[in-house]
């Protein structure tokens, strides 16, 4: 038995039932189930956490502590369904928690990554005197650097550039603001119009499969896209134009161009470190030239990356003896973030524990003494950004004495806490989602779940069990389960809502993957099968009623599970899998062809036909027996039509496409529609439920036609002794 933060955990070893749906009779599944000690949770009537409540969670981003260590600045970002936008506001609060936060400025429209659609973390910079913060903000289609007074007396733009600001910093002791720009907004608009008038030349930069003219609705306006790199990294037209740096004197407000010799330096990974020390992540000491490094080491054994992480200090980027952390608390740890502790010769580092559902802990390494001390442990996130799918690390705010972290757990929405570095004492500062947190704790708390697959590989995830249900249907999403779990990676499958409606929901963390893509996909399939076996053997779910959904790699594993097993009764997919058109549309790019050869072991269809027939759903339609709901972004759906449209035509799938959306949908009304349709879809297929809303009658009529065709085609073949769901 183990305990942590109100949980009791029990290791359960159960043999998989003979003839189980996963096809592994006699395999021993190892499950760890952690049940809440809240005595009333088991008896409470389920309060259904609505999709709208999950979507309108207030996220906290970018806490940065003031120079004197007394205050913290941070931004709150929240979806508004009514206005179909995201509202952002800047706050400042005392680190000791003696007063509530005060709102000092509107943060504008979130700037977004062109590739994913995710909001770019907004990290403020404090003025050296602590009287103001500087930040990048988008207002009226212009990305400028703004200044907001710490006392809330006002905010105003500091730049007025014809181009959007890409990056900025303070220099000369805080006397100047340096910022970088690319092509001007007028130049970009003119280039877009020129292409429209003369025709778009198709080359290796064109996003074939997306609209050719102003098809992206990011950064506040419709914009034409181009690929910026060898993979799927789109950006604006003229986005490859190099950055020019400028300098604003904050006293005279005069602007001058900055020469290349004065421009901010490069990352240390490009400045002459020994090749074997090329860092995975790094942090520059603000007081000297020392650099803390995280380097991947060990034998990759066919995986994408080496298994271990080494923490070290380099005296500078160019020379000196590298010092490696030798303390046992550094060894064998999945170290994922690091930063220097101001005023101390210490590096603070974060460990993300795969076995504990990717829960995070923070330690401090005294570089001179060579000793590591524990600081704090969490049941979930300890960082600087609570927004979904954190593909960019944002550290906790830090002073000489305290960390200020955004904390969140699978079943507890974001809040802000101050953590004493010496004692680990946690002081709540700001909890904007307290009512939602209380409702979740009382009705659908998450359980840490661990199990082993047939090969003995251990997986972890978070289970939202349907309250009061025996042998409930199960929904599974696969990829990553960090922080507060709204709808998994992609944020489209409201886990707590499904649980409240009687469908247990499990988010599975993927383990480090393999270069051999068949082994990589099989790893995901094996994880799902093992979870279903373990839960079914314990009597917690009905293995004949399992649904699955995912985004990106999660979509690929969902499709692979459909193609390679009879495990699923229904699926929901939002990203394309491998198709000849996917390859064709991107085949002008050499970097793409190289990446596909490396990651999927695929070449053109005529060169690797057998591999394509094995990997692509286009050639495996007959093996896909469960109905599929496609809810895809406009920028990607054409890459999937080779298999999606035949399935729709055969009444084995239903398809929706969301206009102007990139890889991850971000418009609030689109996300809410995807949430609600997924709930309807899985309730229909896993529970036989049809809602009373008359507006949904055509939807249910269409799905009933699919159901009749599904069982006619599959009678006596797919389900066998398991029977209908």
């Amino acid at each position: 038995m183990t305990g942590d933060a109100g949980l009791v955990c029990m290791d359960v070893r159960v043999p998989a039932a003979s003839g189980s749906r996963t096809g592994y009779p006699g395999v021993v599944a190892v499950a760890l189930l952690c049940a809440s000690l809240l005595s009333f949770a088991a008896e409470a009537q389920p309060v259904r956490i609505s999709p709208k409540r999950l979507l309108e969670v207030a996220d906290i981003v970018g806490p940065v502590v003031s120079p004197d260590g007394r205050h913290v600045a941070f931004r709150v970002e929240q979806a508004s369904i009514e206005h179909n936008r995201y509202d952002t506001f800047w706050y400042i609060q005392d680190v000791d928690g003696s007063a509530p936060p005060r709102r000092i400025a509107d943060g504008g429209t979130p700037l977004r990554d062109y590739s994913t659609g995710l909001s770019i973390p907004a990290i403020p910079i404090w003025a050296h005197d602590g009287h103001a913060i500087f930040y990048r903000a988008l207002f009226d289609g212009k990305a400028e650097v703004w200044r907001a007074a710490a006392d809330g007396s006002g905010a105003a733009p500091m730049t007025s550039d014809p181009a959007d600001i890409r990056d900025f910093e303070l220099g000369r002791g805080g006397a100047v603001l340096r910022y970088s720009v690319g092509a001007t907004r007028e130049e970009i608009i003119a280039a877009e119009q020129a292409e429209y008038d003369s025709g778009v030349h198709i080359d290796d930069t064109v996003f074939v499969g997306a609209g050719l003219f102003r098809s992206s609705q990011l950064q506040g306006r419709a914009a034409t896209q181009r690929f910026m790199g060898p993979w799927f990294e789109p950006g604006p037209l003229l986005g490859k134009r190099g950055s020019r740096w400028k300098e604003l004197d904050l006293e005279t407000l005069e602007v001058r161009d900055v020469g290349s010799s004065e421009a901010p330096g490069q990352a240390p990974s490009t400045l002459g470190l020994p090749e074997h020390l090329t860092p995975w992540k790094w942090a520059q000491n603000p007081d000297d030239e020392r650099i803390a490094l995280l380097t991947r080491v060990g034998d990759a054994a066919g995986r994408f990356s080496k298994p271990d992480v080494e923490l070290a200090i380099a005296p500078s980027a160019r020379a000196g003896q590298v010092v490696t952390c030798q303390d046992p608390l550094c060894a064998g740890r999945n170290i994922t973030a690091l930063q220097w502790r101001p005023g101390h010769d210490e590096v603070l580092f974060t460990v993300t524990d795969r076995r504990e559902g990717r829960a995070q802990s923070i330690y401090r390494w005294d570089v001179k003494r060579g000793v590591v001390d524990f600081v704090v442990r969490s049941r979930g996130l300890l960082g600087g950004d609570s927004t979904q799918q954190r593909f960019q690390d944002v550290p906790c705010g830090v002073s000489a004495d305290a960390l200020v972290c955004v904390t969140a757990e699978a079943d507890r929405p974001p809040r802000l806490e101050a953590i004493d570095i010496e004692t680990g004492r946690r002081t709540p500062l700001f909890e904007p989602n307290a009512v939602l947190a209380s409702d979740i704790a009382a009705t659908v708390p998450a359980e840490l779940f661990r199990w082993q697959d047939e090969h003995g590989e251990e997986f972890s995830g978070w289970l939202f069990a349907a309250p009061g249900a025996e042998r409930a249907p199960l929904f599974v999403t696969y990829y990553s389960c960090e922080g507060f779990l709204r709808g998994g990676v992609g944020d489209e499958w409201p886990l707590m809502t499904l649980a409240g409606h009687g469908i247990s929901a499990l988010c599975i963390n993927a383990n480090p993957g393999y270069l051999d893509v068949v082994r990589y996909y099989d790893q995901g399939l094996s994880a799902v099968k093992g979870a279903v076996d373990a839960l079914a053997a314990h009597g917690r779910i009905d293995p004949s009623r399992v649904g699955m959904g995912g985004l990106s790699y999660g979509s690929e594993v969902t499709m692979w599970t459909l193609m390679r097993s009879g495990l699923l009764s229904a699926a929901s997919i939002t990203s394309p899998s491998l198709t000849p058109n996917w390859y064709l549309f991107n085949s002008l790019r050499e970097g793409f062809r190289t990446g596909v050869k490396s990651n999927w072991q695929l070449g053109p269809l005529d060169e690797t036909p057998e591999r394509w027939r094995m990997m692509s759903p286009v050639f495996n339609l007959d093996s896909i027996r469960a109905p599929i709901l496609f809810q895809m972004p406009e920028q990607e759906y054409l890459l999937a039509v080779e298999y999606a449209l035949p399935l729709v035509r055969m009444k084995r799938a239903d398809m929706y496409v969301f206009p102007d959306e990139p890889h991850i949908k971000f418009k609030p009304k689109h996300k809410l529609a995807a949430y609600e349709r997924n709930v309807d879809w899985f309730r229909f297929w896993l529970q036989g439920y049809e809602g009373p809303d008359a507006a949904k009658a055509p939807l249910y009529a269409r799905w009933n036609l699919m159901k009749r065709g599904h069982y006619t085609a599959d009678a006596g073949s797919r389900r066998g002794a398991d029977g209908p769901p």
Side-chain angles (χ1 to χ4, degrees):
M1 303 285 286
T2 61
D4 181 26
L7 294 182
V8 60
C9 304
M10 180 178 299
D11 282 304
V12 182
R13 291 182 177 266
V14 289
S18 177
S20 70
R21 287 173 58 84
T22 62
Y24 298 137
V27 172
V28 175
V30 181
L32 179 140
L33 303 176
C34 299
S36 172
L37 289 178
L38 295 171
S39 60
F40 57 85
E43 293 139 28
Q45 293 300 314
V47 173
R48 291 165 188 153
I49 306 299
S50 71
K52 185 174 185 292
R53 292 186 73 186
L54 293 174
L55 186 55
E56 292 189 334
V57 162
D59 280 300
I60 304 170
V61 184
V64 177
V65 179
S66 61
D68 62 7
R70 296 173 55 195
H71 311 289
V72 60
F74 58 93
R75 196 177 83 171
V76 171
E77 178 179 319
Q78 187 171 25
S80 168
I81 301 296
E82 180 182 1
H83 298 105
N84 199 28
R85 72 184 186 207
Y86 288 81
D87 296 321
T88 66
F89 298 99
W90 285 101
Y91 289 83
I92 286 180
Q93 187 171 12
D94 295 345
V95 172
D96 63 9
S98 59
R102 56 185 178 275
R103 195 169 87 182
I104 63 167
D106 186 334
T109 301
L111 290 157
R112 295 193 176 274
D113 178 81
Y114 274 80
S115 176
T116 64
L118 297 175
S119 63
I120 298 171
I123 313 300
I125 295 178
W126 279 89
H128 285 220
D129 61 8
H131 291 164
I133 61 169
F134 294 84
Y135 53 93
R136 197 162 61 116
L138 179 67
F139 286 98
D140 301 323
K142 301 176 183 179
E144 302 282 7
V145 177
W146 283 63
R147 178 189 183 277
D151 62 5
S153 59
M158 299 304 296
T159 59
S160 182
D161 202 276
D164 287 341
I165 309 302
R166 292 177 170 177
D167 199 2
F168 76 99
E169 65 175 24
L170 295 180
R172 298 186 190 176
V176 298
L177 170 69
R178 297 193 185 103
Y179 60 93
S180 65
V181 296
T184 68
R185 289 179 290 273
E186 288 188 359
E187 287 175 327
I188 294 171
I189 292 171
E192 292 173 346
Q193 189 62 46
E195 280 196 337
Y196 182 89
D197 293 339
S198 63
V200 177
H201 176 243
I202 302 300
D203 60 18
D204 61 355
T205 70
V206 174
F207 199 151
V208 179
L212 295 178
F213 179 71
R214 295 178 182 168
S215 61
S216 172
Q217 287 284 335
L218 298 176
Q219 319 311 30
R221 76 173 188 92
T224 295
Q225 300 179 93
R226 286 291 183 270
F227 284 120
M228 300 291 108
W231 199 238
F232 290 93
E233 302 108 3
L237 193 63
L238 307 185
K240 286 188 175 181
R241 183 176 293 183
S243 293
R244 295 175 292 112
W245 283 85
K246 301 182 179 182
E247 185 176 274
L248 169 69
D249 187 299
L250 293 176
E251 182 175 351
T252 67
L253 301 183
E254 293 181 355
V255 178
R256 71 176 186 91
D257 292 331
V258 172
S260 58
S261 62
E262 299 177 87
Q266 295 173 290
S269 58
T270 64
L271 287 180
L273 281 170
E275 184 176 348
H276 72 284
L277 281 175
T278 299
W280 170 49
K281 295 182 181 179
W282 59 277
Q284 175 85 47
N285 190 313
D287 299 323
D288 55 41
E289 292 187 343
R290 287 180 301 167
I291 299 168
L293 309 171
L294 292 181
T295 306
R296 291 202 174 276
V297 296
D299 181 8
R303 295 183 185 264
F304 284 114
S305 59
K306 295 178 180 180
D308 299 319
V309 180
E310 183 178 85
L311 173 61
I313 301 295
S316 73
R318 297 185 181 278
Q321 182 66 38
V322 174
V323 178
T324 302
C325 179
Q326 302 292 335
D327 190 285
L329 290 177
C330 285
R333 299 298 182 98
N334 183 35
I335 303 175
T336 54
L338 76 170
Q339 61 181 322
W340 290 87
R341 180 183 179 184
H344 293 74
D345 199 21
E346 292 182 355
V347 175
L348 299 161
F349 63 92
T350 301
V351 171
T352 301
D353 192 336
R354 297 189 187 97
R355 198 166 186 272
E356 296 297 320
R358 297 197 177 173
Q360 295 185 322
S361 303
I362 296 177
Y363 298 80
R364 54 190 178 97
W365 173 31
D366 187 312
V367 178
K368 285 186 177 179
R369 294 192 300 125
V371 175
V372 172
D373 292 309
F374 169 75
V375 177
V376 67
R377 178 177 291 109
S378 169
R379 189 169 154 256
L381 167 72
L382 283 168
D385 181 6
S386 68
T387 56
Q388 285 286 66
Q389 302 88 43
R390 296 176 310 281
F391 294 132
Q392 180 175 341
D393 288 328
V394 180
C396 297
V398 63
S399 70
D401 302 314
L403 288 158
V404 180
C405 299
V406 181
T407 62
E409 285 86 54
D411 53 4
R412 188 170 178 184
R415 59 204 179 277
L416 194 69
E417 296 185 31
I419 300 165
D420 187 287
I421 295 175
E422 296 291 337
T423 67
R425 183 174 59 88
R426 300 169 68 162
T427 301
L429 296 180
F430 182 45
E431 190 164 5
N433 306 295
V435 175
L436 177 61
S438 176
D439 288 345
I440 294 170
T443 56
V444 284
E447 306 171 14
L448 175 62
F449 178 46
R450 287 199 297 262
W451 67 101
Q452 289 180 357
D453 70 3
E454 59 168 341
H455 309 292
E457 184 170 1
E458 188 173 75
F459 294 87
S460 72
W462 292 97
L463 175 69
F464 294 88
E470 295 183 3
R471 290 177 57 82
L474 176 68
F475 169 79
V476 174
T477 186
Y478 180 86
Y479 202 163
S480 179
C481 315
E482 297 179 346
F484 180 58
L485 297 180
R486 284 156 266 209
V489 171
D491 192 21
E492 295 200 15
W493 302 272
L495 305 178
M496 283 162 263
T497 304
L498 288 167
H501 282 294
I503 300 173
S504 293
L506 173 64
C507 183
I508 299 177
N509 285 306
N511 284 352
Y514 295 95
L515 293 170
D516 180 344
V517 72
V518 172
R519 189 178 182 187
Y520 191 28
Y521 287 168
D522 279 345
Q523 179 190 44
L525 171 57
S526 184
V528 175
K529 286 181 175 180
V532 171
D533 268 348
L535 289 169
H538 202 57
R540 304 200 65 183
I541 61 105
D542 179 353
S544 71
R545 295 185 291 163
V546 177
M548 186 174 179
L551 172 126
S552 198
Y553 171 56
S555 279
E556 294 174 65
V557 172
T558 301
M559 186 60 72
W560 189 256
T561 303
L562 287 163
M563 290 163 48
R564 293 298 186 101
S565 77
L567 182 67
L568 303 181
S569 298
S572 170
I573 282 173
T574 186
S575 302
S577 289
L578 308 171
T579 70
N581 271 349
W582 171 80
Y583 190 93
L584 176 66
F585 287 1
N586 294 281
S587 59
L588 292 180
R589 292 184 287 133
E590 181 180 358
F592 171 84
R593 299 193 304 272
T594 301
V596 173
K597 190 69 173 178
S598 173
N599 295 332
W600 283 274
Q601 297 82 56
L602 284 169
L605 181 59
D606 59 346
E607 292 182 8
T608 55
E610 293 303 318
R611 187 75 172 178
W612 275 105
R613 279 192 281 272
M614 178 177 64
M615 300 297 302
S616 175
V618 173
F619 305 105
N620 290 275
L621 294 180
D622 289 343
S623 67
I624 299 171
R625 303 300 183 89
I628 305 173
L629 175 64
F630 293 100
Q631 299 203 89
M632 308 194 80
E634 186 178 24
Q635 290 187 17
E636 296 181 348
Y637 86 101
L638 289 176
L639 305 177
V641 295
E642 286 173 280
Y643 59 90
L645 293 186
L647 290 170
V648 170
R649 187 177 66 247
M650 292 184 285
K651 295 183 173 56
R652 291 160 59 187
D654 203 7
M655 189 172 192
Y656 290 81
V657 176
F658 291 84
D660 297 327
E661 292 284 11
H663 188 54
I664 297 175
K665 306 175 191 73
F666 65 88
K667 293 181 174 61
K669 288 187 177 180
H670 285 170
K671 294 190 79 69
L672 182 62
Y675 262 167
E676 292 178 340
R677 192 173 292 119
N678 273 320
V679 172
D680 292 338
W681 175 259
F682 286 108
R683 295 203 71 194
F684 179 84
W685 289 102
L686 301 184
Q687 295 177 313
Y689 176 83
E690 298 181 27
D693 187 350
K696 294 181 180 178
L699 177 145
Y700 289 119
R702 189 164 62 250
W703 293 353
N704 273 302
L705 284 174
M706 292 173 60
K707 180 179 285 189
R708 286 195 289 272
H710 174 69
Y711 288 122
T712 299
D714 286 355
S717 62
R718 171 176 173 268
R719 299 193 178 276
D722 290 332

